[in-house]
Amino acid sequence: FKHGICNDKPAFICISIHLTGNEVECSVENSYCPKAKSDKSGSGIGISNLKKQLSIIYPNRHKFEQFCNADKHSSILRITL
């Protein structure tokens, strides 16, 4: 899990992990505070690397989705055990 803070509004993160039968679901919601274009911190390859690692470790046994709106970023990972 990676999470930052917002300088101009309250930041939050909510993590939920559930096991149902042979499927584990991890849901993460956090405040969305996009970086300024001038902010060059971080490489910006985290999600791409995550997707590659999931494909290697859980081939054809996972589903990763992410959504974003003006205030919140949400990610859901489902893995069939």
Side-chain angles (χ1 to χ4, degrees):
F1 305 103
K2 180 180 175 185
H3 180 59
I5 60 170
C6 297
N7 291 327
D8 59 342
K9 60 184 177 181
F12 70 90
I13 186 165
C14 179
I15 300 170
S16 173
I17 301 173
H18 297 280
L19 177 64
T20 305
N22 67 337
E23 183 178 83
V24 64
E25 178 180 290
C26 177
S27 173
V28 179
E29 294 183 339
N30 60 272
S31 46
Y32 178 62
C33 302
K35 297 188 307 182
K37 295 213 183 273
S38 60
D39 185 350
K40 302 299 181 193
S41 64
S43 61
I45 61 170
I47 297 293
S48 175
N49 282 345
L50 171 67
K51 289 178 179 179
K52 288 176 187 176
Q53 290 174 9
L54 288 169
S55 293
I56 292 168
I57 299 170
Y58 304 106
N60 303 312
R61 295 183 12 228
H62 75 281
K63 183 174 182 180
F64 177 72
E65 301 172 287
Q66 59 180 350
F67 315 93
C68 194
N69 64 31
D71 298 325
K72 180 173 66 173
H73 185 271
S74 303
S75 297
I76 300 172
L77 172 61
R78 293 180 184 92
I79 299 172
T80 302
L81 303 175

